[in-house]
Amino acid sequence: YQNGNDVVHDTKRPRLEERTDYTRWRMRDDESRHTWHYLEDDEAMKEWPQTFADKYYLGLPLDLPKLPRAKRPLDAVRNGLEFFEKLQLPSGHWGCEYGGPMFLLPSVVMAWHATKTPIPWYYATEIKNYLFNRTHPDDGGWGLHIEADSSVFGTAMNYVTLRLVGVDADHPKMVRARATLHKLGGATHGPHWLKFWLSVLGVAKWDIVNPIPPELWLLPDWVPFAPWRWWIHIRQVFIAMSFLWSKRWVAEETDVIRSLRKELFVEPWEEIDWVGNRNTIAKEDNYHPKSGLLNLLNTLLVNIWNPYLRTNALAKLAENRVSELIDMEDANTDYADLAPVNGSMNLVVCYARDGPDSYSVKRHRERVHEYLWVNKDGLHCNGTNGVQCWDTAFAIQTIMDAGLTEDPRYRPMLLKALKYLDSQQIRENVENQSKCYRQQRKGGWAFSNKDQGYAVSDCVSEALKSVIILQKTPGFPTLIDDRRIFDAIDTLLTYQNPSGGCSSYEPARAGEWMEILNTAEVFGRIMVEYEYPECTTAVVTALSLFHKHWPDYRAKDIDLFVERAVKWIKTAQRPDGSWYGSWGICFTYAGMFALESLSGVGETYETSSSSKRGCDFLISKQRPDGGWSESYKSCEQMVYTEHPTGSQVVMTAWALIGLMKANYPDPEPIRRGIKLIMERQQPNGEWLQEAIEGVFNKSCMIWYPNYKLVFTMKALGMFAKKYPKETVV
Ligand code: LAN
């Protein structure tokens, strides 16, 4: 039935084809809202031709001429920019796919199924292709992210997704995946989030889900573990989950759901002890085992609270409270939501609460599309609704580091980028800021775009630096006036923790002990904000750059902030001289930032023992070919681990940037790294994708495809400026 409309099992299943015609896909950039469209009509194809960026994203041939081979690093930067410029999107930013995690697409497809959202055949077809292309070569299963070993979470989530888009259970790849799932213990051995989704779908019973009581949101704010103190991502996901958990809401039963009950479990479905399997979990999934205290609390909730003490009135009150929080989140983001996890859950909540024809459901359905992306392997879901502001800021800084900001050749590109950042500055705080526990954001920038609107300490900083750099360069207009720059500074100054370090979305609202309540099992460091060398450095460098140009504005606050932040950077250094990175892999990434922080206050290799130890650590990890290589295992295990595929251009660039920031005195190791980066540059100026470079919550990896273009050029440009006479190759 895979090739036609004659679906036998379930009439609602989308039609599945072998593949779609890749020349028909287009990515629409609507002021940096990204949506993918499949043009079935030949006329439409003519009216809307495929762009260079579309072809690049889709892995189609680019037919670019060979550029003259670069002998000097600066020529390599120019060649790189030649390529990179073509990827700038109409609204002035750089976009890209942002995949890696293997639980995001399933969340979207399960939400579509639960809310009876039709899936067009071309989406279904490319979802199937993506997941088939991403099976683990050893066992045909899936892991938490694309490089991970198979787990119950990855395998069950993606298996269900394939079934929901219409793949038959007898397909050989499904048979193999199912065998892997059963070998791992079957779906009863999955983590909390799997059990949650299976219960929403009606494949499992709610009793197997550890409690997610919305009543926690009725606690007064002073309670030390009150959920407003949790990290924004876990908090938003918890809000939506708790609503559905409290209602024990289940999607309509369909043939495929009935069939999945037979496919996913080792035991006969009718005989499964649902409550008894709440804590069953495969060792492959149990990255962060639940604490004894949490297990005890869950037992009390299940055996005493829920059956005897939880009144309907109280449940209703709590549901209303989280419902209100969901409305505020939806209103603040125009239903785009913080990320695809709470985005897809909020779609289900609105469907359950407001009905299938409501505006909230309609708008959620539209906006979920902004998370989807098509690449050479098929269609998948990005970690956010894009990387717009973040990557655009780095693009500008890269050109600055190479000393090319004033070169008229790059002015049009830079001007477009500046205009983009101007359009994306967040001009107001959210309404009801304190009611929905949001952080001040006025004057800030988000990681993706203004629609999403969550300011992040380092995203504000990198964007602000880029704006200042350009606006202070002769020939560029002042689009963002002083008042708006001061707004950004005022917001940045709210981000410091008592320790001196900075976190991501908000200053930390509780301590690490809150991980005791981490029920997710598959992630670490997820319950609260931590201090990060990456974010701290971004803020410090932004404040320092601002201070140079506006020496009078909040000068004392800035001085104190910088001093305390750099002190924190020193305390975060490990005895071996390294820093642990939380958002890039791993010690190389954090080392680059920390060394920059130190150099900002004049501490370099020759003047500071901290900087020297940081450099010595990096140098000790340089490989014989001149490069650096780090695997995601570093993040998981917190021990420097090399990637089996050898040196990576992105990590090589990070290490070199750190060493150059620290004024590492011997140019030789740096030259060797630069040589490796230059040798890997393609004749058209680009670099190719290597191993995954980004991370969150210690265990889940995520791509940053523009890093291989931006950080390579940044390292080359810095080298060219520092050693202008070197030819290297
Ligand atoms: C991101 C992406 C950007 C990233 C940086 C700006 C690079 C970082 O310096 C600060 C943290 C931030 C903003 C960040 C936080 C966590 C995100 C949003 C992600 C890694 C992208 C996807 C991830 C999100 C948590 C995925 C959904 C998963 C859950 C566990 C809810």
Side-chain angles (χ1 to χ4, degrees):
Y1 74 92
Q2 282 214 10
N3 276 326
N5 292 319
D6 51 334
V7 173
V8 261
H9 306 290
D10 190 333
T11 45
K12 292 226 187 70
R13 278 199 198 172
R15 179 179 116 214
L16 273 187
E17 301 281 354
E18 200 65 35
R19 61 177 65 85
T20 61
D21 172 0
Y22 262 42
T23 66
R24 292 180 184 272
W25 283 104
R26 309 282 185 276
M27 201 280 282
R28 186 182 145 123
D29 166 27
D30 176 14
E31 287 173 51
S32 85
R33 288 180 285 269
H34 299 159
T35 44
W36 281 88
H37 302 263
Y38 190 71
L39 307 182
E40 296 192 78
D41 168 5
D42 290 348
E43 267 317 295
M45 294 250 288
K46 273 185 224 138
E47 271 164 38
W48 183 1
Q50 225 167 16
T51 63
F52 178 86
D54 289 334
K55 289 184 193 160
Y56 176 72
Y57 301 144
L58 292 163
L60 294 174
L62 300 173
D63 305 322
L64 287 180
K66 275 190 185 175
L67 298 169
R69 185 149 179 68
K71 293 216 163 52
R72 295 178 317 144
L74 193 61
D75 297 330
V77 176
R78 287 186 182 278
N79 284 355
L81 288 174
E82 207 59 47
F83 184 85
F84 194 57
E85 186 181 32
K86 297 191 176 68
L87 292 175
Q88 190 174 27
L89 292 164
S91 63
H93 69 283
W94 280 265
C96 63
E97 70 176 286
Y98 192 41
M102 290 304 289
F103 61 96
L104 302 175
L105 179 62
S107 311
V108 171
V109 173
M110 290 179 187
W112 279 342
H113 183 87
T115 59
K116 299 189 192 160
T117 304
I119 308 177
W121 72 269
Y122 42 84
Y123 271 20
T125 298
E126 291 306 339
I127 287 171
K128 171 207 61 168
N129 288 342
Y130 184 78
L131 294 183
F132 280 168
N133 279 322
R134 283 288 166 197
T135 49
H136 198 287
D138 294 348
D139 56 20
W142 296 269
L144 180 62
H145 57 89
I146 54 164
E147 288 196 17
D149 290 336
S150 297
S151 63
V152 175
F153 190 36
T155 306
M157 292 284 276
N158 289 295
Y159 181 94
V160 172
T161 306
L162 283 161
R163 293 287 283 120
L164 296 181
V165 299
V167 179
D168 203 58
D170 300 335
H171 190 294
K173 288 193 194 264
M174 299 299 274
V175 175
R176 189 164 180 232
R178 204 160 58 234
T180 295
L181 176 61
H182 287 192
K183 218 166 119 195
L184 292 165
T188 51
H189 287 59
H192 194 225
W193 287 18
L194 173 71
K195 289 168 173 163
F196 165 81
W197 275 114
L198 294 184
S199 305
V200 167
L201 293 177
V203 176
K205 294 222 167 146
W206 274 108
D207 282 345
I208 200 172
V209 182
N210 267 318
I212 321 170
E215 286 89 329
L216 283 181
W217 280 101
L218 298 175
L219 293 170
D221 287 353
W222 58 260
V223 173
F225 57 88
W228 70 275
R229 300 172 188 273
W230 301 359
W231 189 47
I232 187 80
H233 280 278
I234 196 71
R235 164 166 119 222
Q236 292 291 8
V237 169
F238 178 89
I239 290 172
M241 277 184 157
S242 70
F243 183 88
L244 296 167
W245 174 85
S246 180
K247 290 207 170 296
R248 299 194 153 222
W249 187 84
V250 181
E252 196 181 286
E253 197 176 297
T254 58
D255 287 346
V256 65
I257 297 299
R258 273 188 288 274
S259 185
L260 280 167
R261 291 179 186 158
K262 298 200 188 92
E263 296 163 37
L264 294 187
F265 301 94
V266 178
E267 314 82 346
W269 199 76
E270 294 71 22
E271 290 167 26
I272 293 175
D273 172 6
W274 299 103
V275 186
N277 277 297
R278 279 186 299 113
N279 293 321
T280 312
I281 182 154
K283 66 175 190 318
E284 288 76 3
D285 292 73
N286 205 7
Y287 178 70
H288 188 280
K290 293 186 293 302
S291 64
L293 181 68
L294 181 62
N295 284 333
L296 177 70
L297 287 173
N298 281 335
T299 305
L300 294 176
L301 286 170
V302 168
N303 296 310
I304 299 173
W305 176 260
N306 290 344
Y308 303 114
L309 303 175
R310 190 173 200 242
T311 61
N312 281 345
L314 185 68
K316 193 92 216 108
L317 202 66
E319 283 164 14
N320 289 344
R321 171 94 173 102
V322 291
S323 176
E324 207 178 78
L325 289 164
I326 289 169
D327 285 340
M328 286 190 267
E329 162 76 346
D330 285 347
N332 290 332
T333 57
D334 188 14
Y335 298 85
D337 294 343
L338 172 62
V341 185
N342 81 318
S344 42
M345 289 177 186
N346 284 1
L347 165 60
V348 182
V349 168
C350 289
Y351 184 89
R353 188 191 64 185
D354 308 338
D357 303 319
S358 58
Y359 175 77
S360 59
V361 169
K362 176 177 166 287
R363 191 68 184 134
H364 267 301
R365 281 184 177 140
E366 287 165 5
R367 300 230 67 179
V368 161
H369 287 262
E370 291 170 43
Y371 286 109
L372 305 177
W373 195 271
V374 188
N375 74 5
K376 68 175 186 357
D377 293 326
L379 186 149
H380 67 96
C381 178
N382 285 341
T384 57
N385 60 335
V387 298
Q388 297 86 328
C389 288
W390 182 250
D391 279 6
T392 303
F394 280 122
I396 295 171
Q397 291 178 37
T398 292
I399 297 173
M400 190 272 299
D401 281 317
L404 297 174
T405 336
E406 286 187 63
D407 188 328
R409 165 73 189 79
Y410 304 111
R411 180 149 317 146
M413 165 168 49
L414 288 171
L415 192 57
K416 266 167 74 182
L418 175 61
K419 284 186 180 156
Y420 178 71
L421 290 181
D422 168 33
S423 74
Q424 295 300 314
Q425 190 185 22
I426 300 167
R427 307 288 282 271
E428 297 299 336
N429 288 322
V430 295
E431 243 184 87
N432 303 325
Q433 180 177 312
S434 58
K435 249 182 116 187
C436 52
Y437 305 99
R438 289 281 299 267
Q439 167 77 5
Q440 170 177 337
R441 64 168 196 176
K442 187 174 178 185
W445 280 267
F447 175 70
S448 57
N449 59 16
K450 191 178 172 177
D451 272 25
Q452 190 252 13
Y454 275 88
V456 186
S457 67
D458 55 354
C459 302
V460 181
S461 304
E462 300 299 351
L464 180 66
K465 278 193 274 179
S466 307
V467 167
I468 296 178
I469 288 163
L470 287 184
Q471 295 198 157
K472 294 294 174 191
T473 302
F476 284 90
T478 298
L479 301 179
I480 301 191
D481 61 23
D482 283 4
R483 186 62 255 164
R484 285 169 61 195
I485 301 257
F486 297 162
D487 285 343
I489 293 296
D490 291 346
T491 287
L492 272 187
L493 286 170
T494 66
Y495 270 107
Q496 195 162 38
N497 285 307
S499 66
C502 297
S503 312
S504 60
Y505 296 81
E506 295 151 351
R509 295 172 175 187
E512 184 163 14
W513 59 266
M514 194 82 86
E515 297 295 339
I516 294 177
L517 300 181
N518 177 354
T519 60
E521 293 133 337
V522 291
F523 304 113
R525 303 227 297 176
I526 196 173
M527 291 304 292
V528 286
E529 286 273 11
Y530 293 84
E531 287 92 0
Y532 310 107
E534 301 97 306
C535 299
T536 308
T537 300
V539 181
V540 162
T541 49
L543 291 176
S544 306
L545 179 68
F546 167 82
H547 188 63
K548 255 192 228 147
H549 293 283
W550 289 269
D552 300 330
Y553 189 77
R554 300 191 64 177
K556 269 209 194 101
D557 297 333
I558 292 176
D559 274 352
L560 194 66
F561 192 115
V562 172
E563 193 194 309
R564 292 177 53 218
V566 176
K567 239 187 222 151
W568 176 79
I569 294 272
K570 287 190 185 172
T571 63
Q573 189 169 28
R574 295 158 44 123
D576 64 4
S578 69
W579 287 269
Y580 177 76
S582 294
W583 307 112
I585 301 171
C586 173
F587 296 97
T588 333
Y589 185 65
M592 164 176 76
F593 284 102
L595 289 169
E596 183 176 7
S597 261
L598 295 175
S599 86
V601 293
E603 295 203 21
T604 55
Y605 186 88
E606 277 171 342
T607 61
S608 142
S609 87
S610 182
S611 173
K612 179 175 180 309
R613 285 186 299 122
C615 291
D616 290 343
F617 175 84
L618 287 177
I619 289 289
S620 76
K621 302 296 178 196
Q622 190 172 27
R623 295 162 50 85
D625 64 3
W628 277 260
S629 151
E630 244 190 298
S631 141
Y632 73 87
K633 299 262 183 212
S634 287
C635 310
E636 267 183 5
Q637 293 159 11
M638 301 181 98
V639 180
Y640 190 98
T641 313
E642 288 204 357
H643 198 277
T645 59
S647 296
Q648 313 284 322
V649 285
V650 171
M651 279 133 199
T652 304
W654 288 341
L656 297 177
I657 294 166
L659 291 169
M660 286 189 276
K661 290 273 180 200
N663 264 332
Y664 188 71
D666 178 5
E668 197 40 43
I670 303 179
R671 189 185 297 122
R672 291 200 296 127
I674 291 290
K675 187 157 179 271
L676 179 128
I677 293 178
M678 286 177 69
E679 281 167 0
R680 298 227 181 143
Q681 189 173 30
Q682 303 298 301
N684 64 9
E686 72 172 316
W687 281 268
L688 301 179
Q689 183 64 42
E690 297 173 344
I692 204 157
E693 359 20 29
V695 59
F696 56 89
N697 304 122
K698 289 180 81 181
S699 59
C700 194
M701 306 304 133
I702 188 158
W703 266 327
Y704 284 81
N706 283 330
Y707 281 5
K708 62 182 175 284
L709 306 176
V710 165
F711 282 106
T712 45
M713 291 195 285
K714 187 178 166 92
L716 293 169
M718 282 175 66
F719 185 84
K721 236 182 175 178
K722 221 174 155 104
Y723 308 101
K725 297 212 180 74
E726 296 278 348
T727 47
V728 180
V729 178

